[in-house]
Amino acid sequence: MTRPRVFIVDDHGLFRSGVRSELGDDVAVVGEADDVVPAIDRIAATLPDVVLLDVHLPGGGGQAVVTATKRSHPEVRFLALSASDAPEDVIAVIRAGARGYVTKTISGTELVDAVHRVAAGDAVFSPRLAGFVLDAFATEAPPGQQRPSLDPELDQLTMREREVLRLIARGYTYKEIARELFISIKTVETHVSSVLRKLQLSTRHQLARWATERRLA
Amino acid sequence: MPPGHPARTQDGRPWPGHRYFGRGPARWGRWHHGEPLRRAREDRLVGGVAAGLAARIGRDVTTVRIILVVAAVLSGGFVAAAYVVAWMLIPMEGAQGNIAGKAMTDRRGLALAAGYGSLLIIVRILISVLSIGWLSSFLWPIALVGAGLILIWRNADEDEQAMVQGLVRPFLGLTTRSRRAGLILRLTVAVILLAGGVAALQSAHENIALLQPLAGVALLISAIVVLLGPWWLRIARDLVVERQARVRAEERADIAARVHDSVLQTLALIQRRADQPQQVIALARAQERELRSWLFDGRPPGSIDGQAMTLAGGIRLIQQEVEAQHGVAVEAVTVGDCALDDDLAALLAAAREATVNAVKWSGATVVSLFAEVEPGEVSVFVRDRGKGFDPAAVPSDRKGLAESVRARMARRGGLASVRSAPGEGTEVSLTMPRAATTRSQA
């Protein structure tokens, strides 16, 4: 496996050095930034494979970095890191274009794993994000606020996607999910990527509301 | 206590009083386990009688006040007199004895009151000479109220004296030079309006014009407004300011109490367990989660009380407890939520037992706890990647899993299954069908 080039954006210096040492030699850390504007500049300069992005930054949400970078360098991939459990934060960054979300309490090996996965173009869901997605796609909007579904395919999860998400929420790794459902790991990854796409593009009320609350319609 | 809030006892319980209200006078003596009627110290406009009464019968204080004022007007002032008598007879909250008891020994006060009363009798004679009969019907209440206020002023606590002083403040204005001019002007205008109003009312029956009594009443009211309006406005403003200050103080006390119960306690625990990093981490995690859910979701720490508790709240509680007690991280995820009934409470108890089991025996550093509420059932999965075991090899006398989890679920019509193999970790799945009662909230 090639060493992915990683860029770390977080306003806490201590946290950045912590992540750096946890990532170890499996990845190459090519740069760091502590706020939105320097992050956008230096990411454009270094063009990393994966940006580890704190959701909360002093100069605005992490999604500002994603949006600005995606415009000029769509090949850069983002993995959101956050101490926050609030769905609107997570959903906002995902909808801006991040390929995944993990909480800051994640272990070093899992983080390395997630970075590799995102570098390979796959999606990474923490159990909590899987829970959010199941919630967002399960609950109906209150009557009166329901928008007509523009694209029913985007606004619903398939049974299989639901099963995969449920297992992620139960703490299963992709390998364990594959074994449990008698499918290949590649298929699991396909399902998760498909869910990510729906999460980014769906107009479902819940998602739209979370996104608008963070001014990201 | 601001009006509009239900009355509460000092320890914060709502009064159960309104249930007794309206069952007849026989119940009066038995309200609230014999707790005596007291005048309110904090939330009062005049003597605190209305607030005390409101707290006693569990009604809104504003309602009681409006009823009292309307009754005072309709009864020709006798309710007002009764109010003053009640003021003297009912002791204040936290005080020993009433004002009447002290007033009985206050000879000078009694003499003053008697003098004031006799003055009114002279006025009454004057009025009957002038044949303004309607005024004399107000005289007895006025005499009683006046005499009562004199006695209260002389014998009440200091803060109550200040209150009475506030009541008569517009008339005391005459004694300060700066306010005198304005007051005299207002008095003059008021007297002119008053005289006009009385004259209009007097001549009403001699004229056919129906508008005249109305005009008279309007003139009387404007006289009162001119005289007392500015003072009312000031009182209202003072009340609002005072209430805001009280609300702020209450909020601050509440925050202080919460921070003490949660953050300071945790910090103390962390200091004591500084040599056990695992426990310190768990404590910090639990505290962080609690603080976060309080600050951002408005969930008070540790206050998942019976009625407000939901399934997701219960899962969160299990997570917090287990992390705090055993120092192992619990990754909890819930999908959907619903209110708890006995079945779901049993499910939570089983889930807790399974989580504690995993934490104690698996050796894993993280335990996953997942709960999903579906229209027909609620499922909980507890998974660890610890050492695992062979379910067939568990001796039958090991109670934990068999009794606490499986039997508890079976009693309520639920299912529990365990999947484990040595070295593969363990997963306990629990499923409970939902009763019709909790389904409506899905």
Side-chain angles (χ1 to χ4, degrees), chain A residues 135 166 170-172 176 180, chain B residues 332 336 372 383 385 419 427:
Chain A
D135 240 346
R166 227 171 249 146
R170 276 158 68 176
Y172 282 57
E176 290 166 334
E180 175 79 21
Chain B
E372 184 173 15
R383 180 182 159 82
R385 286 215 189 77
R419 211 164 57 166
E427 185 171 53

Side-chain angles (χ1 to χ4, degrees), chain A residues 83-85 103 105 110 126-128 130-132 134-135 138 166 169-173 176 179-180, chain B residues 285 288-289 292 319 331-337 368-370 372 374 381 383 385 419 424 427 429:
Chain A
S84 156
D85 295 337
T103 45
T105 47
E110 281 177 303
S126 68
R128 194 169 281 279
F132 287 155
L134 281 173
D135 240 346
R166 227 171 249 146
R170 276 158 68 176
Y172 282 57
T173 62
E176 290 166 334
R179 205 174 51 189
E180 175 79 21
Chain B
R285 260 181 79 103
E288 182 201 333
R289 185 168 300 115
R292 200 184 287 288
Q319 175 191 29
E331 177 107 44
V333 176
T334 52
V335 173
D337 202 359
S368 301
L369 177 58
F370 171 70
E372 184 173 15
E374 286 170 288
F381 297 89
R383 180 182 159 82
R385 286 215 189 77
R419 211 164 57 166
E424 300 252 310
E427 185 171 53
S429 341

Side-chain angles (χ1 to χ4, degrees), chain B residues 346-382:
Chain B
L347 173 70
L348 275 182
R352 188 182 189 291
E353 186 64 30
T355 312
V356 171
N357 249 320
V359 162
K360 271 194 194 155
W361 305 113
S362 73
T365 52
V366 180
V367 173
S368 301
L369 177 58
F370 171 70
E372 184 173 15
V373 178
E374 286 170 288
E377 62 180 28
V378 178
S379 8
V380 176
F381 297 89
V382 181

Side-chain angles (χ1 to χ4, degrees), chain B residues 255 258-259 262-263 287-301:
Chain B
I255 288 172
R258 290 265 159 78
V259 168
S262 53
V263 180
Q287 185 55 63
E288 182 201 333
R289 185 168 300 115
E290 189 177 293
L291 205 56
R292 200 184 287 288
S293 76
W294 178 39
L295 292 178
F296 302 124
D297 307 339
R299 255 182 250 114

Side-chain angles (χ1 to χ4, degrees), chain B residues 226-394:
Chain B
V226 164
L227 187 60
L228 298 179
W231 172 65
W232 284 342
L233 275 178
R234 199 167 54 240
I235 284 196
R237 209 173 43 228
D238 287 355
L239 271 177
V240 169
V241 168
E242 196 186 304
R243 184 155 298 143
Q244 281 170 345
R246 199 158 54 217
V247 167
R248 269 199 301 275
E250 275 168 10
E251 269 172 4
R252 210 173 308 129
D254 189 42
I255 288 172
R258 290 265 159 78
V259 168
H260 174 265
D261 286 353
S262 53
V263 180
L264 293 183
Q265 297 277 27
T266 305
L267 287 176
L269 273 176
I270 285 177
Q271 284 171 33
R272 221 177 302 151
R273 297 188 191 171
D275 51 331
Q276 299 154 291
Q278 202 62 26
Q279 292 218 3
V280 170
I281 291 170
L283 280 169
R285 260 181 79 103
Q287 185 55 63
E288 182 201 333
R289 185 168 300 115
E290 189 177 293
L291 205 56
R292 200 184 287 288
S293 76
W294 178 39
L295 292 178
F296 302 124
D297 307 339
R299 255 182 250 114
S303 77
I304 305 183
D305 48 352
Q307 70 230 45
M309 186 149 165
T310 64
L311 189 94
I315 293 287
R316 214 160 29 234
L317 194 67
I318 292 174
Q319 175 191 29
Q320 285 170 9
E321 276 179 15
V322 173
E323 284 189 346
Q325 287 165 14
H326 302 279
V328 172
V330 176
E331 177 107 44
V333 176
T334 52
V335 173
D337 202 359
C338 67
L340 280 188
D341 60 4
D342 289 348
D343 290 354
L344 297 182
L347 173 70
L348 275 182
R352 188 182 189 291
E353 186 64 30
T355 312
V356 171
N357 249 320
V359 162
K360 271 194 194 155
W361 305 113
S362 73
T365 52
V366 180
V367 173
S368 301
L369 177 58
F370 171 70
E372 184 173 15
V373 178
E374 286 170 288
E377 62 180 28
V378 178
S379 8
V380 176
F381 297 89
V382 181
R383 180 182 159 82
D384 67 71
R385 286 215 189 77
K387 40 181 173 295
F389 63 96
D390 180 359
V394 175

